[in-house]
Amino acid sequence: MAAAQGRLSDGAGGMDDAKEGERNAGDDAPPAFRAAVDALRAARLRPQIEMETTRAPQRLAPFAYALEATVVDGDQDLADGRLVLLHDPDGHDAWRGTFRLVTLVRAELEAEMAADPLLPDVCWSWLTGALQARGLACGEPSGTVTRAGSHYFGGLSERPSTSQIEIRASWTPREGLGGVPDTAGHLASWCDLLAQVAGLPPAGPGDASVVTLPQRRGPQSR
């Protein structure tokens, strides 16, 4: 099993980005936020999901912490996403709470699957269903499901056409003891969503009812 804390970014500035995330969760952060971040760091994930800290947005809330994940099968990337934890100790009218989770999930699809008119509704139900399956209450959910197709021309004409699904969403997690939400549970639900979009088989007997997308055509080599 892989720890949610993960490895540092391999890209330029990755170390600085990670340090920025550490500052957001430092000693000057509210105890509730530090506890929520600690739970994210301690979470255990499916071995196919690789997680790392990344630079968190600085203008959405006084405190923020961000993770990026990739669903990996051998040397192929099947899906990727980002999960951001926001915290405003004074509360936020639009959130109706002091915490907010924001996510982006995306994967490439077979063209036939991308053409299904019910696909956006199914993908949104995967998000809400993943939360419900773990008994997690949330408020003020909102988001979009976007399908996009790419066709290549000229010097790129040999590449096959591709279709992609993208889920952008945010929700307010219910706060528990000490005003701390169950961020580890929400992270696990988010990873369930990633796995479904990537087309991974169910993680265990209890997940046998999960319907996943077929693996995308020609997963990107790492």
Side-chain angles (χ1 to χ4, degrees), residues 45-51 69-73 77-82 103-109 123 126-127 130 134 165 167 186-204 207 210-216:
L45 312 175
R46 291 180 64 161
Q48 299 95 334
I49 298 179
E50 295 185 354
M51 193 85 66
T70 303
V71 182
V72 177
D73 180 15
D77 295 349
L78 302 179
D80 58 62
R82 189 182 195 200
T103 186
L104 164 67
V105 171
R106 59 192 177 188
E108 288 188 17
L109 308 173
C123 289
W126 285 348
L127 170 62
R134 293 184 179 270
I165 192 75
I167 304 170
H186 284 270
L187 176 61
S189 293
W190 183 69
C191 288
D192 292 343
L193 172 65
L194 268 176
Q196 286 181 288
V197 172
L200 290 184
D207 299 323
V210 172
V211 178
T212 59
L213 283 178
Q215 286 190 5
R216 68 186 189 183

Side-chain angles (χ1 to χ4, degrees), residues 75-77 216 218-222:
D75 62 349
Q76 298 173 334
D77 295 349
R216 68 186 189 183
Q220 179 180 351
S221 296
R222 305 187 73 201

